[in-house]
Amino acid sequence: MWPGEAHSLKVEKILFKEQSEYQEVMVFESASYGKVLVLDGIVQLTEKDECAYQEMIVHLPLCSIKSPRKVLVCGGGDGGVLREISRHSSVEVIDICEIDKMVIDVSKKFFPELAIGFEDPRVRLHIGDAVEFLRNAPRGKYDAIIVDSSDPIGPAKELVERPFFETVARTLRPGGVLCNMAESMWLHTHLIQDMISVCCEAFKGSVQYAWTSVPTYPSGAIGFLLCSTEGPPVDFLHPINPIEKQDDGTLQTHRQLRFYNSDVHRAAFALPSFVRRELGHHALSAATGVHQKPSSVNQMFC
């Protein structure tokens, strides 16, 4: 995934290391980032900077639509995404489909501040393949789907392919939204281009790329692909359902927002010039057959 690069964290103590049915699961205590969850040798989260990822992947989509009620999480076995969804009082049902039960069990033991999300009574846990779960879901069931997957190798590979995105689009209501982890703009531009191209065909609303800073991820940045289906228009750039009004520290999460706010939301869609050129040209070409320069900082890709 990152040829020619290495990133290191000082390991104070390995707390857990076992092979599940799908991957190697490890937890260690680091010198400066707290406990760290690692899957197949790749850092998934640390206690210090998990907020930047968990808060953004949830609130970018859910703050962009009015009163989301039914939400599906694909992956997210650590519980952090559930923790953030629980802030939204309009949500009635939170389905989560995680393929690896060991990730859930380990997170409950070593990362209780994330796994607290599983304690929300609105959560319905499904252990299994998210691709299969979506195939069997009714058309138009969900207001939002959040794909919190590991990198697209091994069991997560299907989650960046055309059939998956087409199934997601079918399962969302008109004007429903997807937020999908979408790699680093510094390292995986071609993969992001491919995802945008597929999503421009699968979704008939808008497609946007946003990003955030996570120090312990390769390159220090991670991206999100946000898509909406045909129906009531969704303006991802301007949150219409601000979460700050509900963030008084009294929710079951027991903590106030550490990273996300409405200003950060808007800023997440401001792309560096090289990304605007590479992603904008590719996506517009794929969607229309015409090469064209993005007209603004926040160009919608299709």
Side-chain angles (χ1 to χ4, degrees):
M1 291 294 291
W2 318 286
E5 296 193 24
H7 181 210
S8 64
L9 293 174
K10 184 178 180 182
V11 179
E12 297 286 4
K13 182 180 180 181
I14 294 178
L15 304 175
F16 179 91
K17 185 177 182 181
E18 284 189 20
Q19 184 74 29
S20 76
E21 183 180 353
Y22 301 97
Q23 56 204 339
E24 181 189 77
V25 181
M26 181 171 67
V27 178
F28 68 85
E29 185 72 43
S30 71
S32 53
Y33 281 86
K35 290 192 289 292
V36 181
L37 175 65
V38 182
L39 300 180
D40 279 341
I42 299 173
V43 170
Q44 303 299 307
L45 65 89
T46 79
E47 288 182 305
K48 184 175 182 178
D49 65 7
E50 55 86 8
C51 59
Y53 178 85
Q54 311 285 2
E55 293 179 15
M56 293 293 277
I57 199 173
V58 170
H59 303 310
L60 288 176
L62 295 192
C63 291
S64 296
I65 57 176
K66 292 182 179 179
S67 302
R69 296 186 302 111
K70 296 181 179 179
V71 181
L72 170 64
V73 181
C74 299
D78 54 72
V81 167
L82 300 178
R83 180 194 68 197
E84 295 306 315
I85 295 173
S86 73
R87 298 181 188 274
H88 291 263
S89 58
S90 66
V91 173
E92 300 169 0
V93 173
I94 310 170
D95 283 326
I96 176 170
C97 189
E98 165 63 53
I99 198 170
D100 196 339
K101 186 174 183 297
M102 183 181 288
V103 173
I104 297 173
D105 295 339
V106 166
S107 297
K108 287 182 176 180
K109 180 176 181 180
F110 295 102
F111 300 94
E113 289 193 359
L114 285 93
I116 193 173
F118 285 102
E119 298 178 15
D120 191 307
R122 296 170 290 180
V123 171
R124 304 188 302 196
L125 173 61
H126 309 268
I127 302 296
D129 182 0
V131 176
E132 188 63 27
F133 182 88
L134 277 162
R135 288 195 192 109
N136 296 320
R139 178 182 294 272
K141 178 177 181 178
Y142 294 105
D143 299 290
I145 295 175
I146 298 171
V147 180
D148 177 21
S149 64
S150 53
D151 291 296
I153 54 177
K157 187 175 187 298
E158 284 187 278
L159 302 184
V160 295
E161 296 176 343
R162 182 184 302 271
F164 177 75
F165 287 119
E166 291 174 345
T167 305
V168 168
R170 178 191 65 81
T171 313
L172 286 168
R173 65 155 170 84
V177 297
L178 163 72
C179 187
N180 202 109
M181 190 278 287
E183 299 299 334
S184 167
M185 61 186 177
W186 293 103
L187 303 175
H188 306 121
T189 306
H190 292 298
L191 176 59
I192 298 167
Q193 287 174 343
D194 291 344
M195 293 174 70
I196 290 174
S197 179
V198 168
C199 287
C200 281
E201 297 177 6
F203 295 86
K204 306 302 180 184
S206 63
V207 175
Q208 294 276 359
Y209 184 81
W211 64 285
T212 190
S213 171
V214 183
T216 52
Y217 284 175
S219 83
I222 195 71
F224 308 102
L225 198 60
L226 290 112
C227 311
S228 65
T229 55
E230 187 175 15
V234 177
D235 181 2
F236 288 114
L237 277 59
H238 302 97
I240 62 171
N241 181 31
I243 194 62
E244 290 101 319
K245 63 185 179 184
Q246 303 180 48
D247 183 37
D248 59 4
T250 62
L251 296 174
Q252 74 162 61
T253 52
H254 301 305
R255 60 185 282 282
Q256 291 183 304
L257 289 165
R258 293 180 57 201
F259 190 89
Y260 176 91
N261 57 52
S262 292
D263 290 334
V264 169
H265 181 122
R266 289 183 285 267
F269 295 91
L271 303 180
S273 296
F274 81 93
V275 179
R276 290 170 57 195
R277 285 193 294 269
E278 294 183 32
L279 299 189
H281 283 182
H282 178 88
L284 288 167
S285 176
T288 66
V290 177
H291 284 279
Q292 180 180 346
K293 290 185 178 181
S295 59
S296 72
V297 167
N298 296 314
Q299 172 73 54
M300 184 175 72
F301 289 118
C302 54

